Amino acid sequence: NAGVTQTPKFQVLKTGQSMTLQCAQDMNHEYMSWYRQDPGMGLRLIHYSVGAGITDQGEVPNGYNVSRSTTEDFPLRLLSAAPSQTSVYFCASSYSGSETQYFGPGTRLLVL
Amino acid sequence: GQSLEQPSEVTAVEGAIVQINCTYQTSGFYGLSWYQQHDGGAPTFLSYNGLDGLEETGRFSSFLSRSDSYGYLLLQELQMKDSASYFCAVRGTGGFKTIFGAGTRLFVKA
């Protein structure tokens, strides 16, 4: 199993550009989440999904959209990038009822 | 709302024991988890406490007191490779929103 994969590994955007961060898992996990990690602030939940077709907002959802059309994929869309969205983005997945989250390797995003 | 407090950094000597504390405030509570993250890497799950008491996994143990809204991670026989950041995390009732603490940076010295 590949586990949780994320692409790209690194991305530079200009302010106002849009892009999609990809996340996929091959463990048939129901739950998937997106976090951002900034220095000294730990991981903050952006959006999450409890199954295909079901998504909900986390702590910091503004400026981001998600969709979950399949169990495997959970893309994160930045609608109009801002410098404040410069961060490391992690995708995670888990079985329903399990507290163990499996994280992808992360995407480092720089918005100029 | 939900919040977690943990020390920003801890330093210990190789072979020693170190305890990383975590206090939390949540609206509802399922349990307390711990994750390890090395520089440049992804967080990896270490342990989970859903009930009061001690959970042991090899050199790592985790403790929870629900009445005190407090838990800790205990690392024994410290090794240089244990130098990393450690995060406590809670999931409150009513959803799947997992909230992470800001993390404790552990430095292990020779």
Side-chain angles (χ1 to χ4, degrees), chain A residues 30-85:
Chain A
E30 298 90 346
Y31 291 168
M32 296 186 75
S33 303
W34 275 104
Y35 296 89
R36 60 177 287 175
Q37 185 173 36
D38 302 298
M41 296 188 74
L43 293 145
R44 290 185 291 169
L45 182 65
I46 304 171
H47 286 285
Y48 65 98
S49 169
V50 299
I54 307 170
T55 63
D56 204 349
Q57 296 181 349
E59 299 174 89
V60 288
N62 292 342
Y64 307 95
N65 272 357
V66 292
S67 60
R68 185 100 178 267
S69 56
T70 67
T71 298
E72 294 78 20
D73 300 297
F74 190 42
L76 178 72
R77 296 181 189 84
L78 278 70
L79 308 172
S80 177
S84 61
Q85 293 179 304

Side-chain angles (χ1 to χ4, degrees), chain A residues 31 33 35 37 40-43 45 48 50 57-59 90 94 99-101 103-105 108, chain B residues 30-31 33 35 37 40-45 48 87 91 95-103:
Chain A
Y31 291 168
S33 303
Y35 296 89
Q37 185 173 36
M41 296 188 74
L43 293 145
L45 182 65
Y48 65 98
V50 299
Q57 296 181 349
E59 299 174 89
F90 287 102
S94 68
E99 295 300 320
T100 306
Q101 293 193 68
F103 284 80
R108 282 166 171 71
Chain B
Y30 272 134
S33 300
Y35 287 79
Q37 184 180 32
T44 56
F45 175 82
Y48 170 73
F87 296 89
R91 180 165 67 96
F96 185 62
K97 294 185 182 182
T98 300
I99 305 300
F100 283 77

Side-chain angles (χ1 to χ4, degrees), chain B residues 17-41:
Chain B
I17 299 172
V18 71
Q19 179 174 312
I20 299 173
N21 298 321
C22 175
T23 58
Y24 59 87
Q25 283 186 307
T26 64
S27 51
F29 179 78
Y30 272 134
L32 184 70
S33 300
W34 289 93
Y35 287 79
Q36 178 192 59
Q37 184 180 32
H38 287 98
D39 285 349

